[in-house]
Amino acid sequence: MLFVIKVGGNVIDNPALLQSFLEDFAAIKGPKILIHGGGKIATRIGDQLGIESNYVNGRRITDAATIDVVTMVYGGLVNKQLVAKLQAVGCNAIGMTGADANVIPAVKRPVKEIDYGFVGDINTANLNVGPLKAMLDAGLTPVFAPLTHDTHGQMLNTNADTIASSLAIALSAHYEVRLIYCFEKKGVLRDAQDDNAVINLINRSIYAELLEQKVLTDGILPKLENAFSAIESGVKEVLIGHAADVRSNTTGTVAGTLIC
Amino acid sequence: MLFVIKVGGNVIDNPALLQSFLEDFAAIKGPKILIHGGGKIATRIGDQLGIESNYVNGRRITDAATIDVVTMVYGGLVNKQLVAKLQAVGCNAIGMTGADANVIPAVKRPVKEIDYGFVGDINTANLNVGPLKAMLDAGLTPVFAPLTHDTHGQMLNTNADTIASSLAIALSAHYEVRLIYCFEKKGVLRDAQDDNAVINLINRSIYAELLEQKVLTDGILPKLENAFSAIESGVKEVLIGHAADVRSNTTGTVAGTLIC
């Protein structure tokens, strides 16, 4: 079983939760890949550099100055700090972006109503997972920043959830893959005000009901879409759960929400 | 023959020279590794973030704020831009720091008269070149930022020339290695005012004479010390030359200064 685990920005922003998550992650037996979000630090550093953050429909617009900031902060500061911290707890991590070894070639998002700027869209069929297989076979743990490239010299900003599901799908040709989204909630909640109202299982028909009942928060919808897309493209299992539950979600009892 | 090639900050800062260097580098046949300096951009971004650069004896003092800046800028922005640009010209680059795959464990420099801060010293015997050999065998080209780690979770700033010579030495157990320092001069100059006064060959006795004649600039001395250290530790050849001469320095006639 290969574990493809995404850890969200809110975990990155919480030093104590991050440290215990990294220790739990390091203790997972067998092959594993980590994909990290960015956290608030890119916005903070962008602000300090006088670069305004622009959002449309909750998505960051990545202009030329912003792609440099996210390349620095996600690809450099956050990624290397995670690698160094994982090395310190016995996990032989290797930092990656989609440009490295050309694992994730992407296409700059075409401009329709909105110009998202330097944002990369992924065609899962184009991923080059050979280098990742070789790393995993050698006992290395790839750690991905949420960045891709256009193969013509330009780095691109790509959603970490999407990178996680794309890697999980592409690697499912070679492994049984469990894709786990770790964030700061115990799973998908039936009631956003009640942190314990975890929905244990969601399939397409339950999802349709939940949408109709309008009980899901906006933030969880793309995660669920990514999850269904992964399941329908060969990934064995998808879990959405708390970063603090990553050990149980890679060993025994599932905590959180199972997507099937 | 394995080429271990260091490209200096002045080349990184010159877009036209950098682009033609990367095209030449990509065209080199066989296994190769690139190590890059930082360039002025870390200082510029540090200034914009309100972080002062401190130097003692020409060496940057790396305080906590500065190690974050160099990790971002060298490990993120510069490294990933080089990787993306190399991918665009057909070189399957993979960005690395010494923390990644624990290739270069280092020790924070002990405080004597000066506290250099988060600067890493390397013991060449401790390098883990296995992952690099696997990458080279798979046709990948590792591209190193001038960063190491202390194996306890802290990134460290390490001179790019030293990383280059250390990698060259450690890899000389497995390959015939030519170490090439590329910068914006045609080689080691007998007269700093005359760009064509290249010294074609330097050995220890010539070096002693040059030191006595006081014709060498301060900047070249650590490069030459690294070069001699490399030669005496198993590296077959060391060259110091212009970035624009990298093709001839990996194929036919040597341009620049040969150290032996």
Side-chain angles (χ1 to χ4, degrees):
Chain A
M1 173 79 77
L2 168 68
F3 297 107
V4 175
I5 299 180
K6 189 259 170 166
V7 61
N10 287 338
V11 179
I12 304 284
D13 287 336
N14 180 334
L17 178 57
L18 177 61
Q19 183 59 32
S20 81
F21 169 79
L22 293 176
E23 287 169 22
D24 289 343
F25 178 83
I28 297 169
K29 306 279 184 220
K32 59 202 175 200
I33 295 177
L34 184 64
I35 300 95
H36 62 85
K40 296 200 180 76
I41 186 167
T43 307
R44 195 172 75 228
I45 289 176
D47 287 348
Q48 288 178 316
L49 293 173
I51 297 161
E52 275 181 45
S53 296
N54 295 311
Y55 290 84
V56 173
N57 300 341
R59 297 208 177 223
R60 185 195 289 271
I61 301 297
T62 308
D63 60 15
T66 302
I67 186 64
D68 283 356
V69 171
V70 297
T71 300
M72 288 200 302
V73 176
Y74 301 163
L77 189 60
V78 176
N79 188 262
K80 298 312 170 190
Q81 285 184 342
L82 290 178
V83 167
K85 283 173 195 287
L86 284 169
Q87 290 286 348
V89 292
C91 174
N92 200 355
I94 177 167
M96 296 286 292
T97 69
D100 298 291
N102 192 29
V103 171
I104 316 177
V107 171
K108 185 173 177 290
R109 184 168 298 165
V111 177
K112 293 177 185 164
E113 295 87 50
I114 299 168
D115 182 357
Y116 286 101
F118 295 104
V119 168
D121 288 332
I122 303 173
N123 179 341
T124 303
N126 294 337
L127 266 61
N128 298 304
V129 297
L132 295 183
K133 279 186 65 195
M135 289 173 192
L136 294 169
D137 288 348
L140 296 172
T141 296
V143 175
F144 274 85
L147 294 161
T148 57
H149 74 139
D150 72 354
T151 75
H152 302 291
Q154 177 64 55
M155 295 299 294
L156 297 169
N157 196 3
T158 297
N159 180 272
D161 287 359
T162 306
I163 290 188
S165 60
S166 300
L167 286 172
I169 291 166
L171 285 157
S172 67
H174 306 279
Y175 300 84
E176 279 196 352
V177 178
R178 181 182 289 180
L179 169 62
I180 307 177
Y181 289 106
C182 293
F183 65 155
E184 75 297 356
K185 302 275 182 190
K186 288 184 182 169
V188 181
L189 303 179
R190 188 178 295 281
D191 173 357
Q193 307 308 313
D194 178 0
D195 270 353
N196 291 312
V198 176
I199 306 168
N200 293 114
L201 187 86
I202 300 183
N203 58 24
R204 277 279 184 195
S205 82
I206 296 173
Y207 183 46
E209 286 171 30
L210 292 166
L211 284 179
E212 197 156 317
Q213 296 163 14
K214 295 187 168 37
V215 297
L216 300 175
T217 56
D218 283 351
I220 206 75
L221 300 184
K223 253 185 192 46
L224 285 167
E225 289 297 338
N226 273 319
F228 282 118
S229 155
I231 289 285
E232 286 155 12
S233 305
V235 175
K236 191 159 183 235
E237 297 157 353
V238 183
L239 281 171
I240 299 178
H242 201 288
D245 291 328
V246 71
R247 282 196 85 166
S248 70
N249 281 333
T250 51
T251 48
T253 325
V254 163
T257 303
L258 181 69
I259 317 296
C260 60
Chain B
M1 174 79 75
L2 168 68
F3 297 106
V4 175
I5 299 179
K6 189 258 171 166
V7 62
N10 287 339
V11 179
I12 304 284
D13 287 336
N14 181 334
L17 178 57
L18 178 62
Q19 184 60 31
S20 82
F21 169 80
L22 293 176
E23 288 168 19
D24 289 341
F25 177 83
I28 297 168
K29 307 279 185 220
K32 59 201 176 207
I33 294 178
L34 184 65
I35 300 95
H36 62 84
K40 298 202 179 72
I41 187 168
T43 307
R44 196 172 75 229
I45 289 176
D47 288 347
Q48 288 178 317
L49 293 173
I51 295 161
E52 275 181 42
S53 296
N54 294 313
Y55 289 84
V56 173
N57 302 340
R59 300 209 173 222
R60 186 194 289 272
I61 302 297
T62 308
D63 60 13
T66 302
I67 187 65
D68 282 358
V69 171
V70 296
T71 300
M72 288 198 306
V73 176
Y74 301 161
L77 189 60
V78 176
N79 188 262
K80 298 313 171 190
Q81 285 183 341
L82 289 178
V83 167
K85 283 174 194 288
L86 283 169
Q87 290 286 348
V89 291
C91 173
N92 201 354
I94 177 166
M96 295 286 291
T97 69
D100 297 292
N102 193 27
V103 171
I104 315 178
V107 171
K108 184 172 178 292
R109 183 169 299 165
V111 178
K112 293 177 187 164
E113 295 86 48
I114 298 167
D115 182 356
Y116 287 101
F118 295 103
V119 169
D121 289 330
I122 304 173
N123 178 343
T124 303
N126 293 339
L127 266 61
N128 297 304
V129 297
L132 296 183
K133 281 186 65 193
M135 289 173 190
L136 295 168
D137 288 348
L140 296 173
T141 296
V143 176
F144 274 85
L147 294 161
T148 57
H149 74 138
D150 71 355
T151 75
H152 302 291
Q154 178 63 56
M155 294 299 292
L156 297 170
N157 196 4
T158 298
N159 180 271
D161 287 359
T162 305
I163 290 186
S165 60
S166 300
L167 287 172
I169 291 167
L171 286 157
S172 66
H174 306 280
Y175 301 85
E176 279 195 352
V177 177
R178 182 181 288 181
L179 169 62
I180 306 176
Y181 289 108
C182 292
F183 65 155
E184 76 295 357
K185 302 277 181 188
K186 289 184 182 169
V188 180
L189 302 180
R190 190 178 294 278
D191 174 356
Q193 307 308 314
D194 179 0
D195 270 353
N196 292 312
V198 176
I199 306 168
N200 294 114
L201 186 85
I202 300 184
N203 57 25
R204 277 279 184 194
S205 80
I206 297 173
Y207 183 45
E209 286 170 30
L210 292 166
L211 283 179
E212 198 157 315
Q213 295 162 15
K214 294 189 167 39
V215 297
L216 301 174
T217 57
D218 284 350
I220 206 77
L221 299 185
K223 255 187 194 38
L224 284 167
E225 290 296 339
N226 273 318
F228 282 117
S229 155
I231 290 285
E232 286 155 14
S233 306
V235 175
K236 191 160 183 236
E237 297 157 355
V238 183
L239 281 170
I240 299 178
H242 201 289
D245 291 329
V246 69
R247 281 195 87 165
S248 72
N249 281 332
T250 51
T251 48
T253 324
V254 161
T257 303
L258 182 69
I259 317 295
C260 62

